[in-house]
Amino acid sequence: MRLRLLGALAALSLLPLSGTTAVASEIGWLDCGDGLRCAGVTVPSDWASPKHSTPITVNLAKLPARDQTRKLGALLVNPGGPAAAIPGFRLSKASYAELTQWFDVVMFDPRGFGAGDGVSCPSPFPAAVDSPLERKAFTDYREANANFARSCSPGMGPLVGKVNSWQVARDMNAIRKALGERKLRYYGNSYGTVFGQTYAELFPHNVERMFLDSVLDHGERRLFEWMAPMAATTERNLHRFAEWCAKAESCALYGKDALAVFDRVIAKAPVPAPGAGSGVTVSAGTIAARVADQTAERRWPALATALAEADAGDATALSRAPQQPPDNSLARTMLCADFPFDAGFVGHKAIEEQLRRTVAPRVGWADPVWGMTGHCDGLPKTGTHPPHPIRPVGLPPVLITSGSNDTITPVEHGKRVAAQLPGSRYLPATGGHAVYRGGNPCVRRHVHRYLTTGELPAPGTSCPAV
């Protein structure tokens, strides 16, 4: 879930059912294909005034436990985004299959997403623009954001100002009751960890087990401190890429100092990009942003080739941002309600320069400032639930993990959240985003033991790469 890459998953069919539910037997589960059972739970559009608000439906999809007579109950899951979760559940249910040894795995679409009551805005939210920030680009982007919000608002109906994790956590509690569960078992991944943190704050006594994977910290209010770990991890990954190139014969820069090549390309900028059009050149800032986008391991071969070509005088491969499908969902709306950072041009520019000076001089500075927070500028500050530290009383121990190389939800975020939740355990793991779903056997073993027995990994435990 890099926030600049937010986009709803491909739409697939779901049949939401209306009707307020109180116990599990009253949920009208229907077979909806792909081995799933689907239903819906009716909730107030505004939990601050439930008796006077229009009801909405939250969609559910269940992958049933293998043995219904011996199951431990339901495990509520949200994989992140924020996005419609159920379409992706259909495609990735194999990654949750082990959990059906013990649980009905129940996925939910956050309010405003998915079939039925999901909102589709007239146009996609505007795509992020590269750093370094320029005032005109910032001003244009801010106005585009405001236009997106204005165009989307009429279709939101009663959800205007009601799409945030505070409302979603209350939806989750209604789902818990509807499933007939005395206490909640929850597995939140990526943005789903924001929902988990809010639920832990609001309903600590209703939690039985909670596993948070790839955590986005909703406790840090200082923008620089929130972004710095993302930038630092991106910078570290560039160094890991250079080490790989020095050893891997498949790298287009094999045997070379890849960092020196990068520095040389930056020094040459602007670099011609003939494949992008006659007279097109690529600036140093754009090169840094493109490289920052490609520091994940799976992209290293392409990054090496692009740098080799740019070093030879052709930066075509570094001239364009990765193509993302247009997203006309409420992803931007929910993100910016939970993280309403709006530092303005001067504030963002100062953070960009501070990151470049103190944390990530080559590439880490080029992505988080605009891609992670700048895109909230211009959106209305209504119905927000901004970051704040929490100290939930009565919460049982929570299990938290993050991948060491994850630039999207860096390890520092997970550690900070673990420190706020008394008795919780942070499980370090080598890897990238979504460690459990990525199949790390060590992480899976500890998660299964925790979810079924409550036993946490021993202090000092860590999990190696797959």
Side-chain angles (χ1 to χ4, degrees):
M1 184 210 76
R2 180 174 297 277
L3 303 184
R4 72 180 295 162
L5 306 183
L6 289 173
L9 301 171
L12 295 175
S13 62
L14 172 67
L15 299 175
L17 303 178
S18 61
T20 303
T21 54
V23 295
S25 60
E26 294 180 9
I27 293 184
W29 295 107
L30 292 180
D31 187 332
C32 54
D34 301 312
L36 300 180
R37 308 279 291 174
C38 294
V41 172
T42 300
V43 299
S45 55
D46 183 8
W47 282 101
S49 182
K51 293 182 180 180
H52 302 96
S53 64
T54 304
I56 60 170
T57 299
V58 175
N59 301 319
L60 307 179
K62 176 173 68 173
L63 188 62
R66 301 174 196 176
D67 187 342
Q68 290 291 307
T69 65
R70 301 182 66 182
K71 69 182 180 181
L72 299 179
L75 175 68
L76 189 64
V77 178
N78 186 270
I86 293 171
F89 191 32
R90 295 180 179 277
L91 302 175
S92 63
K93 63 182 186 293
S95 63
Y96 302 96
E98 282 188 85
L99 293 167
T100 61
Q101 295 178 63
W102 311 282
F103 306 108
D104 289 332
V105 179
V106 180
M107 188 76 67
F108 73 96
D109 286 337
R111 56 172 47 217
F113 294 87
D117 288 342
V119 176
S120 180
C121 298
S123 60
F125 55 70
V129 186
D130 287 333
S131 294
L133 298 181
E134 300 296 339
R135 186 175 290 275
K136 184 179 187 307
F138 181 88
T139 302
D140 291 347
Y141 186 79
R142 187 182 180 93
E143 181 58 30
N145 250 355
N147 289 336
F148 166 78
R150 283 191 289 268
S151 68
C152 196
S153 182
M156 292 178 66
L159 286 176
V160 173
K162 310 298 186 295
V163 180
N164 57 49
S165 62
W166 187 91
Q167 300 278 357
V168 171
R170 284 165 167 75
D171 295 343
M172 291 165 60
N173 204 45
I175 294 169
R176 175 190 64 80
K177 294 177 182 179
L179 292 170
E181 296 291 331
R182 187 176 66 88
K183 293 198 173 185
L184 180 74
R185 301 176 195 88
Y186 180 64
Y187 161 23
N189 179 79
S190 195
Y191 207 88
T193 68
V194 179
F195 304 149
Q197 290 166 67
T198 306
Y199 191 93
E201 178 183 27
L202 299 177
F203 304 104
H205 293 284
N206 291 349
V207 175
E208 181 171 297
R209 309 268 192 274
M210 182 177 289
F211 166 53
L212 303 180
D213 185 347
S214 303
V215 176
L216 191 64
D217 180 13
H218 195 245
E220 179 56 69
R221 292 176 287 196
R222 298 167 299 175
L223 184 51
F224 176 82
E225 284 74 10
W226 191 79
M227 287 193 294
M230 303 171 188
T233 305
T234 301
E235 196 81 1
R236 286 198 302 270
N237 284 350
L238 178 65
H239 285 259
R240 292 176 55 242
F241 159 74
E243 293 169 2
W244 170 76
C245 273
K247 301 174 183 177
E249 294 184 11
S250 59
C251 176
L253 299 174
Y254 172 63
K256 296 182 180 180
D257 182 339
L259 295 179
V261 173
F262 171 82
D263 291 341
R264 190 160 58 240
V265 170
I266 290 293
K268 292 177 181 178
V271 181
S278 177
V280 174
T281 61
V282 187
S283 69
T286 297
I287 292 170
R290 294 296 160 267
V291 173
D293 281 335
Q294 298 184 63
T295 57
E297 288 184 27
R298 68 184 182 279
R299 296 175 177 169
W300 285 355
L303 173 58
T305 299
L307 283 175
E309 292 173 351
D311 193 32
D314 183 355
T316 299
L318 297 174
S319 63
R320 302 184 184 91
Q323 291 297 308
Q324 300 297 323
D327 189 346
N328 62 343
S329 75
L330 296 182
R332 180 68 56 81
T333 303
M334 180 170 284
L335 165 72
C336 294
D338 288 332
F339 298 93
F341 296 125
D342 188 349
F345 177 78
V346 173
H348 282 302
K349 193 68 178 177
I351 290 174
E352 176 184 271
E353 292 169 355
Q354 187 179 1
L355 288 173
R356 193 169 190 173
R357 185 177 65 254
T358 65
V359 176
R362 284 190 168 94
V363 300
W365 63 273
D367 191 40
V369 175
W370 191 270
M372 300 298 285
T373 61
H375 60 194
C376 291
D377 287 85
L379 291 179
K381 298 299 182 286
T382 57
T384 62
H385 182 60
H388 58 279
I390 61 174
R391 289 288 180 185
V393 177
L395 180 74
V398 174
L399 178 59
I400 296 175
T401 192
S402 295
S404 58
N405 306 319
D406 186 357
T407 62
I408 305 166
T409 52
V411 295
E412 290 83 357
H413 279 218
K415 290 178 179 179
R416 289 174 187 167
V417 171
Q420 293 183 63
L421 307 180
S424 298
R425 184 64 40 80
Y426 180 79
L427 176 64
T430 301
H433 195 63
V435 186
Y436 180 92
R437 284 172 50 199
N440 186 300
C442 170
V443 169
R444 282 181 165 249
R445 185 169 61 251
H446 287 295
V447 169
H448 295 160
R449 184 180 299 120
Y450 165 75
L451 289 176
T452 55
T453 71
E455 181 183 347
L456 291 168
T461 302
S462 61
C463 286
V466 176

